[in-house]
């Protein structure tokens, strides 16, 4: 073990608290060296060179994909592990039925046993990072200790990582402590533990993104949601996108969809040719931190600085911006390769796979060539639609909040909640088919309130109460909407074209917020009449449009009853105001 005297002199202003913590972790995990990350390009290049030499990274075709690399994870370590993810609060009720729970002392004992001596022969990397623009009062810092150079490279893209973050920590004194080791990548010795009251995380046994890049889901959602509750703001699983209409006005919306339901695509949407004059600016594609502003509006920052996007399905027709942005400086994980050493995945639109994600010659009998949850990690500044406002310390004002899920039936294309409290019920009722972003069955409908089921760091009952109280601080609250791009007919054919055409729905949403668009009042909220949507140049059967813009009271009565049962799971923590909203919905449904 080396001592913390190895703090480089250029980083000498490190706070004593960080140094003491790094020292105590090193004494416990026994690394052969300690590396304090400064976040420089030279440091990243050296780490890439080291991983290339070890064979843990592979360079891709330097002509067509310059500075792009492929990493292959352990085949049992390809997604978030919700069943091994815990919230550790002194009282189980504070974690709620929405989380796995363990008492903090037990969790620490279990994790400390796993971490004992686990870094022998390895380097301990100290990764200081800032979630959000470095000069924003809304940003929060953390330090991740990890023994994975792959994690450091990803954190270097996904967060403001290095010297400036360490300096801010030195000034502020407080930071989230994230301790990570890949261990032996043994699924039986894998846990992701969160200690919200201590602002700390311990993650062992996985190198996969959401389990190992602790700034992302662990800090920016689970710990931050807890912090946000105590400080009066919201940490949400939402993309943030700016839309400039042909009249030159820009409005921002934040949208919560479960993992792998198209947040990245919507955040980078390309307007259809039949809607000239619209422009789209991406602020973020996964996480939004929302603060009531002094002007009574809700303001959002994106705490991340990169995208950890799902590769399959990304092609020139579905997401041209993403397709273009990942042609340089991109780290791919678990994608397939062409015989020209270019990355490949299902839905890329051209080429053919030669080598599958496991490194075997491609054989379609083995299933998809790229893992369904294969990813790209890339800096946000490479996105052709990147919004410079993503750097704004005060964030962007939000005109509409949009919830959505992947549902074959029931939920119409779009509807608007009657007001904020009804919108909280709409968000709490989100249900969606599960995807490959987490291990477990795919395609099963489950409740995923606010798309936060895997990410809320405390009891959902308290969380909905917090949503209601944030609303009461907003004199100009955003409108709240629900969308469903995924309606299918009996044969499994999608009824709505999606992608760029989703702008037609967003345009209606923005017009509703501006009081300019008509709607029909239904028991579940306000829906556009087919004629209220801009369908110019869209080839959609009017009967299909009418179908996806209709409400079936019988099916909604069952949905409301199921929602009542779901709220009952939260007992007295479920806010009375939410139950009243549900009763009012049931009355309207008759
Ligand atoms: C993600 C996820 O990686 O939601 O963003 O799983
Ligand atoms: Mn996500």
């Amino acid at each position: 073990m080396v001592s913390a005297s190895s703090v480089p002199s250029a980083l000498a202003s490190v706070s004593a608290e960080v140094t003491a913590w790094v020292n105590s972790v090193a004494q416990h995990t026994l690394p052969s060296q300690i590396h304090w990350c400064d976040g420089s390009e030279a440091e990243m290049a050296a780490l890439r060179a080291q991983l290339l030499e070890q064979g843990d990274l592979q360079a891709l075709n330097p002509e067509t994909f310059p500075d792009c690399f492929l990493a292959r994870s352990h085949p049992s370590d390809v997604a978030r592990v919700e069943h091994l993810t815990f919230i550790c609060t002194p009282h189980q009720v504070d974690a709620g039925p929405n989380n796995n729970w363990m008492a903090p002392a037990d969790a620490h004992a279990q994790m400390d046993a796993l971490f004992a001596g686990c870094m022998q022969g390895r380097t301990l990397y100290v990764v200081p990072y800032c979630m959000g623009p470095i000069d924003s009062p809304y940003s929060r810092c953390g330090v991740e200790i990890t023994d994975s150079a792959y994690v450091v490279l990803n954190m270097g893209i996904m967060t403001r990582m290095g010297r400036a973050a360490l300096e801010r920590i030195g000034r502020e004194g407080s930071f989230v402590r994230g301790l990570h080791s890949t261990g032996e990548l043994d699924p039986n010795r894998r846990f992701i533990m969160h200690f919200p009251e201590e602002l700390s995380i311990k993650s062992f046994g996985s190198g996969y993104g959401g389990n190992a890049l602790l700034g992302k889901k662990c800090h920016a959602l689970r710990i931050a949601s807890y912090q946000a509750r105590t400080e009066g703001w919201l940490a949400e699983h939402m993309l943030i996108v700016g839309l400039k209409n042909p009249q030159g006005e820009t409005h921002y919306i934040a949208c919560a969809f479960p993992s792998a339901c198209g947040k990245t695509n919507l955040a980078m949407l390309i307007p259809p040719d039949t809607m000239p004059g619209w422009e789209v600016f991406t602020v973020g594609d996964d996480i939004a931190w929302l603060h009531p502003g002094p002007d009574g509006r809700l303001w959002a920052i994106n705490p991340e600085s990169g995208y950890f996007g799902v590769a399959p399905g990304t092609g020139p027709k579905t997401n041209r911006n993403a397709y273009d942005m990942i042609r340089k400086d991109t780290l791919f994980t678990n994608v397939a390769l062409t015989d020209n050493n270019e990355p490949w995945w299902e839905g890329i639109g051209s080429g053919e796979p030669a080598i599958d994600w496991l490194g075997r010659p491609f054989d379609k009998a083995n299933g998809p060539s790229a893992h369904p949850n294969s990813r790209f990690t890339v800096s946000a500044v490479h996105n052709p639609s990147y919004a410079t406002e993503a750097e704004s310390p005060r964030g962007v004002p939000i005109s509409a909040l949009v919830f959505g899920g992947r549902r074959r039936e029931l939920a119409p294309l779009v509807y608007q909640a009657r007001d904020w409290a009804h919108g909280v019920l709409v968000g709490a009722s989100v249900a969606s088919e599960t995807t490959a972003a987490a291990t477990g069955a795919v395609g099963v409908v489950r409740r995923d309130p606010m798309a936060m089921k895997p990410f809320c760091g405390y009891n959902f009952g308290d969380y909905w109460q917090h949503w209601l109280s944030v609303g009461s601080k907003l004199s100009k609250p955003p409108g709240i909407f629900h969308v469903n791009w995924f309606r299918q007919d009996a044969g499994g054919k999608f009824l709505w074209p999606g992608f760029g055409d989703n702008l037609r729905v967003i345009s209606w949403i923005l017009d509703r917020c501006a009081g300019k668009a008509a709607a029909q009042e239904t028991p579940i909220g306000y829906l556009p009449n087919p004629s209220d949507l801009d369908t110019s140049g869209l080839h959609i059967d009017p009967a299909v449009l009418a179908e996806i813009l209709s409400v079936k009271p019988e099916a909604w009565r069952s949905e409301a009853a199921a929602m009542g049962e779901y709220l009952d799971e939260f007992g007295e923590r479920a806010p009375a105001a939410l139950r009243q909203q549900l009763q009012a919905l049931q009355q309207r449904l008759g």
Side-chain angles (χ1 to χ4, degrees):
M1 205 271 292
V2 290
S3 81
S5 60
S6 56
V7 177
S9 54
L11 296 176
S13 63
V14 178
S15 84
E17 234 182 305
V18 179
T19 316
W21 177 56
V22 170
N23 259 343
S24 77
V25 169
Q27 269 159 26
H28 185 61
T29 58
L30 306 178
S32 56
Q33 33 178 344
I34 298 177
H35 176 95
W36 289 74
C37 296
D38 62 15
S40 64
E41 186 38 50
E43 175 177 71
M44 296 298 117
L47 287 176
R48 280 193 296 267
Q50 176 193 319
L51 287 175
L52 283 167
E53 199 182 306
Q54 287 166 207
D56 291 334
L57 217 55
Q58 186 175 324
L60 299 180
N61 188 320
E63 262 131 55
T64 48
F65 284 84
D67 298 311
C68 290
F69 301 89
L70 167 66
R72 292 197 179 103
S73 67
H74 189 278
S76 74
D77 186 31
V78 291
R80 284 184 291 98
V81 281
E82 293 179 11
H83 60 298
L84 302 175
T85 300
F86 287 74
I87 299 294
C88 308
T89 42
H91 303 289
Q92 180 163 8
V93 67
D94 293 326
N98 45 305
N99 282 303
N100 300 317
W101 173 83
M102 202 179 286
D106 295 345
H108 278 304
Q110 186 161 330
M111 296 308 276
D112 292 350
L114 292 172
F115 276 102
C118 73
M119 296 193 189
Q120 286 174 64
R122 302 184 183 182
T123 301
L124 179 159
Y125 297 96
V126 183
V127 187
Y129 62 86
C130 179
M131 301 309 295
I134 202 89
D135 52 351
S136 169
Y138 300 143
S139 300
R140 295 286 182 275
C141 291
V143 177
E144 174 166 359
I145 292 181
T146 178
D147 55 9
S148 162
Y150 166 83
V151 165
V152 180
L153 285 181
N154 277 276
M155 287 290 286
I157 298 171
M158 297 302 298
T159 70
R160 279 93 173 164
M161 190 273 269
R163 185 185 311 267
L166 201 56
E167 279 166 11
R168 178 164 169 165
I169 293 170
R171 285 195 302 275
E172 287 181 343
S174 87
F175 62 100
V176 170
R177 292 161 198 235
L179 174 55
H180 168 255
S181 170
T182 52
E184 315 83 36
L185 298 175
D186 175 356
N188 296 315
R189 286 163 52 83
R190 180 175 293 161
F191 288 104
I192 326 297
M193 302 278 187
H194 302 76
F195 305 88
E197 292 178 10
E198 299 167 20
L199 300 184
S200 82
I201 305 153
K202 290 184 177 171
S203 164
F204 190 90
S206 168
Y208 169 77
N211 305 324
L213 314 181
L214 301 186
K216 192 172 178 62
K217 303 300 184 179
C218 300
H219 176 164
L221 286 176
R222 297 195 191 96
I223 298 289
S225 61
Y226 176 91
Q227 247 183 324
R229 180 184 175 213
T230 56
E231 295 173 6
W233 50 283
L234 293 165
E236 297 299 323
H237 192 204
M238 290 180 173
L239 68 93
I240 310 163
V241 64
L243 300 123
K244 186 162 160 193
N245 64 21
Q247 293 75 51
E249 300 149 352
T250 301
H251 294 281
Y252 296 89
I253 63 174
C255 312
F257 307 145
S259 309
C261 285
K263 284 201 299 299
T264 306
N265 291 345
L266 183 59
M268 298 176 191
L269 176 149
I270 296 194
D273 294 342
T274 46
M275 295 182 77
W278 282 87
E279 279 179 66
V280 173
F281 306 100
T282 315
V283 179
D285 80 327
D286 196 42
I287 301 178
W289 285 357
L290 305 166
H291 288 258
D295 60 355
R297 291 192 291 175
L298 194 61
W299 289 76
I301 62 162
N302 170 17
E304 301 188 285
S305 60
Y307 310 118
F308 181 64
V310 179
T314 306
K317 294 225 173 77
T318 55
N319 191 340
R320 175 94 231 174
N321 283 328
Y323 182 77
D324 289 345
M325 98 183 149
I326 57 185
R327 297 193 84 85
K328 63 172 185 194
D329 298 334
T330 303
L331 188 48
F332 294 93
T333 304
N334 293 340
V335 298
L337 292 174
T338 65
D339 57 9
N340 198 21
N341 201 28
E342 294 180 350
W344 200 90
W345 48 80
E346 282 62 27
I348 195 169
S350 60
E352 276 178 24
I355 307 286
D356 74 8
W357 68 279
L358 289 160
R360 304 171 300 190
F362 172 63
D363 177 352
K364 57 173 180 296
N366 290 332
S369 67
H371 188 275
N373 192 35
S374 53
R375 299 279 179 150
F376 53 78
T377 320
V378 64
S379 168
V381 295
H382 288 336
N383 173 8
S385 63
Y386 180 64
T388 47
E389 286 76 11
E391 300 296 335
S392 160
R394 65 177 193 158
V396 294
I398 296 296
S399 300
L401 294 174
V402 182
F403 296 112
R406 183 184 284 270
R407 293 203 75 172
R408 254 163 264 190
E409 40 200 32
L410 188 78
L413 178 63
V414 56
Y415 65 99
Q416 179 183 13
R418 301 165 70 87
D419 54 24
W420 182 274
H422 178 225
V424 175
L425 177 69
V426 170
S429 311
V430 167
S432 191
E433 293 157 29
T434 51
T435 68
T439 49
V442 168
V444 180
V445 175
R446 71 163 182 182
R447 291 267 160 223
D448 194 348
M450 282 79 173
M452 283 286 278
K453 165 74 186 75
F455 307 123
C456 182
Y458 61 103
N459 189 317
F460 261 153
D462 300 333
Y463 169 77
W464 298 320
Q465 183 57 55
H466 181 52
W467 261 82
L468 291 164
S469 82
V470 168
S472 67
K473 289 192 205 130
L474 300 170
S475 54
K476 298 184 198 111
I480 299 186
F481 297 78
H482 186 284
V483 299
N484 178 16
W485 316 133
F486 298 98
R487 282 287 291 272
Q488 292 175 23
D489 67 12
K493 185 170 164 282
F494 286 106
L495 297 177
W496 173 251
F499 302 106
D501 286 310
N502 292 337
L503 182 57
R504 301 173 190 279
V505 173
I506 292 167
S507 156
W508 178 79
I509 288 176
L510 292 177
D511 282 349
R512 283 295 292 170
C513 294
K516 291 196 291 205
Q520 47 169 321
E521 186 173 353
T522 77
I524 66 166
Y526 299 98
L527 264 76
N529 297 291
S531 57
D532 298 326
L533 278 188
D534 176 353
T535 51
S536 52
L538 180 71
H539 302 291
I540 187 166
D541 180 342
V544 168
L545 190 59
E547 167 67 18
I548 59 178
L549 290 178
S550 66
V551 175
K552 307 238 162 26
E554 189 51 46
W556 275 96
R557 277 193 283 270
S558 313
E559 172 73 3
M563 186 57 194
E565 285 166 24
Y566 183 63
L567 285 187
D568 287 345
E569 287 177 31
F570 295 87
E572 59 184 25
R573 295 277 178 126
L578 209 57
R579 290 188 190 282
Q580 280 154 17
Q581 283 296 329
L582 184 63
Q583 276 159 14
L585 169 67
Q586 285 173 315
Q587 266 160 21
R588 293 194 300 271
L589 287 164

